[in-house]
Amino acid sequence: CMKLRLQEIELNSIDPEKSRRFYESALGLENAIDQGQLQVFQTGFPGLDFNISSHYPNEKVVISFITDDLYQVIERLNALSVTFEGPKDSHLGMMTIVFRDSDGRQIKVNQPTEKSPTWLQV
């Protein structure tokens, strides 16, 4: 049986450093990873990230899931005639597909590969 879980919620910003300072000050969030244009906060749930980045246009929200069987997800989407992009290489050595939900929101599903850090394994 395929494993699937929520991986991250990513808010996009023109100034991730400024956003990091805001979330640290306003909500007391603890920054776990500071890579300048990517800020990752601890959520209190291991394996679930809250990110601020400049990867996408400002004000865009990306919700990502992580799975151990990307091709099973692809089969499900194909069975429902859901159009998607990928699979393609993604950050942290993962493979990803991108599609839109029934309300037009962008959803990503990632699968770690042997190039991914061990903490990303599902």
Side-chain angles (χ1 to χ4, degrees):
C1 184
M2 169 186 70
K3 294 180 185 176
L4 180 79
R5 66 174 171 78
L6 185 60
Q7 177 193 3
E8 66 186 10
I9 299 171
E10 186 168 344
L11 304 180
N12 292 278
S13 170
I14 57 173
D15 189 345
E17 293 279 343
K18 182 178 179 183
S19 293
R20 175 188 54 79
R21 290 189 301 273
F22 172 81
Y23 281 95
E24 285 176 337
S25 303
L27 298 178
L29 294 182
E30 185 177 331
N31 186 271
I33 298 172
D34 181 347
Q35 293 183 344
Q37 297 305 305
L38 172 65
Q39 303 293 321
V40 181
F41 296 94
Q42 302 227 356
T43 62
F45 297 95
L48 176 61
D49 295 336
F50 171 59
N51 302 342
I52 305 289
S53 79
S54 61
H55 294 144
Y56 301 99
N58 191 31
E59 298 180 0
K60 185 172 185 177
V61 176
V62 178
I63 299 173
S64 297
F65 291 86
I66 194 165
T67 185
D68 65 342
D69 191 345
L70 191 59
Y71 289 96
Q72 189 170 355
V73 176
I74 289 170
E75 287 176 10
R76 288 174 162 221
L77 295 176
N78 282 333
L80 296 170
S81 299
V82 174
T83 303
F84 59 90
E85 297 174 24
K88 58 187 175 183
D89 291 334
S90 185
H91 65 297
L92 297 173
M94 293 187 290
M95 294 297 296
T96 190
I97 59 172
V98 180
F99 59 96
R100 301 227 173 245
D101 72 6
S102 57
D103 291 310
R105 288 179 288 260
Q106 180 176 301
I107 305 294
K108 290 177 65 176
V109 179
N110 300 311
Q111 180 178 340
T113 70
E114 65 280 348
K115 298 175 190 171
S116 301
T118 55
W119 54 266
L120 265 179
Q121 303 305 318
V122 181

